[in-house]
Amino acid sequence: LNTMDDHTLKISDLCLKKYEELSKNGKPEVGKQWTALAGVVKQGTIIYPDGGTYEVVAIGSGTTCLGESQMRPDGLILHDSHAEVIARRSFIRYLYHEIKSTWNSTSSTIFNKLIDGKCCLKPGISFHFYTSNTPCGDATIFPVTVNQTTPVNQTHPVNGTTTVNQTTPVNQTHPVNQTQPANQTTPVNQTTPVNQTHPVNQTHPVNQTHFVNQMKINQNKHKLPIPDTVAAKKLCPDIQLGANNSHYDVNRTGAKCLAGEPQDLHVIGSNFHCVGCLRTKPGRGEATASMSCSDKILRWNITGWQGGLVSTLVSTPVYMRSIVVGGMADIQALRRAFYGRMDLNSLDFLHHTRYHLHLPIIQRTDSKFKFYKSSLDRNELKPNGSALSWCKVPCNGLEVAAKSGFRLGTVKKHEGKPRSSTFISRWNLFRMFKEVMEVIPDCELKSDFQALEVKSYRNCKLLAKDYFNTWSDVKDKVLGNWATHSGELDLFT
């Protein structure tokens, strides 16, 4: 692919096509329901029938999240069924399959063996993430102009043209044919390793150390700029504001700020929300303890998308090379939410670990998901309660979870039994980890695992010492208000 826009279109269209190929079971009713879609696309060196080097390896759809009282300590249900989370869990299942295949002497398209019992990604392998909607939480808070449906910082496709009737604010300064800053043109297939931190001023023009400071007004980094045209442009050059400040507002989210974080003022206009805050997922039912998808993606951009248990099996964290977002998306808000709100100086301690703040390329796409909910559909469409999961494995790649978090179709008397659990539940992913332990060669990890008196989920997670020490340091030093669930939820075997 020759341009970033070719890449962006390829990533989104492959995920949309794969979703269309899956059976209708668990999908929304056309014209009555909506859902969100997310997926992971592998890029490698193999040429596929379509002539490209891209392949979808994981898909997830869903919109629901269980309340705190509905969480179970047996690991059998899905607590968080937002599309981004389902796709990531499907991706973890795919990684387990590839790791097991590597050590079973069968073929793996992505991993090579190492002598220490770990796997490493083959040269040229990278992964890209797609989501049809802006992830809930901080990424959804961005400047808009009243009666417009286009975010102020929404970029246009390379071959797009701006007309008088488009919703782009009059004083928006990015060129019509420019989809990213001039110095953010790094090709997707460049030779930069997937886990390499990009120089802040090379891949992304945002000065990370001062990014949050650019958002400050009156020493408060959690408020969007006051809609004064001159002051806002001067203090916040990364946010283009409408010429008439009486038409300036902010896109709303139902995600609640965590205790200890600055709280939303809920005043009319640009300061309705604070920005950069940690939030729980939105919803009208019982309050949830699950962090917003924006916050989870921020975490994954530090600790990797592979999770704690898989981190013990791979030599380096698995990061996303790019993130492609559909629907109503604002590039600057996405960058802020996914990495920009972190002060690099506060993450100096990561230099002594194998982790870092990864800066994926952020792009938006105009490819529209069939079941996307726009602001115009808000009162007409109902959320689909099911969550669909698929990944590229030989058997049972596709399954559907009900709103309860159990596998769709589970009868009441079977709830709480392993047969009711989806393949991407914590219980089943933990089972896959234990299966991998049986096939890896003798090594320090295998010895530590065998030495455990109780092979509980919690005890096995603690084998990933560097992963959890790093995450603990990040929470203590940077993300102090991060919500953590009860340790009793990790005691299952």
Side-chain angles (χ1 to χ4, degrees), residues 68 289 291 471 475 481-487:
E68 195 165 4
M291 298 295 293
W471 177 232
K475 286 191 295 183
N481 296 316
W482 190 279
T484 55
H485 61 250
S486 168

Coordinates of all heavy atoms in Angstrom, one line a residue, residues 68 289 291 471 475 481-487:
E68 N -21.4 -4.0 39.0 CA -20.5 -4.6 40.0 C -21.1 -5.8 40.7 O -20.3 -6.7 41.0 CB -20.1 -3.5 41.0 CG -18.8 -3.8 41.8 CD -18.2 -2.6 42.5 OE1 -18.8 -1.5 42.4 OE2 -17.2 -2.8 43.1
A289 N -17.8 -1.3 37.6 CA -16.4 -1.0 38.0 C -15.4 -1.1 36.9 O -14.2 -0.9 37.1 CB -16.0 -2.0 39.1
M291 N -13.3 -0.1 33.7 CA -12.7 1.2 33.2 C -13.2 1.4 31.8 O -13.5 0.4 31.0 CB -11.2 1.1 33.2 CG -10.6 1.0 34.6 SD -10.9 2.4 35.7 CE -10.0 3.7 34.9
W471 N 3.0 -2.5 35.9 CA 1.7 -1.9 35.9 C 1.4 -1.3 37.3 O 0.7 -0.3 37.4 CB 0.6 -3.0 35.6 CG -0.8 -2.5 35.7 CD1 -1.8 -3.1 36.4 CD2 -1.4 -1.3 35.1 NE1 -3.0 -2.4 36.2 CE2 -2.7 -1.3 35.5 CE3 -0.9 -0.3 34.3 CZ2 -3.6 -0.3 35.1 CZ3 -1.7 0.7 33.9 CH2 -3.1 0.7 34.3
K475 N 0.4 2.6 38.0 CA -0.8 3.0 38.8 C -0.4 3.9 40.0 O -1.0 4.9 40.3 CB -1.6 1.8 39.3 CG -2.4 1.1 38.2 CD -3.3 0.0 38.8 CE -2.6 -1.1 39.5 NZ -3.5 -2.1 40.0
N481 N -5.8 6.8 40.5 CA -7.2 6.5 40.8 C -7.8 5.4 40.0 O -9.0 5.2 40.0 CB -8.0 7.8 40.5 CG -7.6 9.0 41.4 OD1 -7.4 8.8 42.6 ND2 -7.4 10.1 40.9
W482 N -6.9 4.6 39.4 CA -7.4 3.5 38.6 C -8.2 2.5 39.4 O -7.8 2.1 40.5 CB -6.2 2.8 37.9 CG -6.6 1.7 36.9 CD1 -7.0 0.5 37.1 CD2 -6.6 1.9 35.5 NE1 -7.3 -0.2 35.9 CE2 -7.0 0.7 34.9 CE3 -6.3 3.0 34.6 CZ2 -7.1 0.5 33.5 CZ3 -6.4 2.8 33.3 CH2 -6.8 1.6 32.7
A483 N -9.4 2.1 38.9 CA -10.2 1.2 39.7 C -9.7 -0.2 39.6 O -9.4 -0.7 38.5 CB -11.7 1.3 39.2
T484 N -9.6 -0.9 40.7 CA -9.1 -2.3 40.7 C -10.2 -3.2 41.3 O -10.9 -2.7 42.3 CB -7.9 -2.5 41.5 OG1 -8.0 -1.9 42.8 CG2 -6.7 -1.8 40.8
H485 N -10.5 -4.3 40.8 CA -11.5 -5.2 41.3 C -11.0 -6.0 42.5 O -9.7 -6.1 42.7 CB -12.1 -6.1 40.2 CG -11.1 -7.1 39.6 ND1 -10.6 -6.9 38.3 CD2 -10.4 -8.1 40.1 CE1 -9.8 -7.9 38.1 NE2 -9.6 -8.6 39.1
S486 N -11.9 -6.6 43.2 CA -11.5 -7.4 44.4 C -10.6 -8.6 44.0 O -10.8 -9.3 43.0 CB -12.7 -7.9 45.1 OG -12.4 -8.9 46.0
G487 N -9.6 -8.9 44.8 CA -8.7 -10.0 44.5 C -9.4 -11.3 44.6 O -8.9 -12.3 44.0

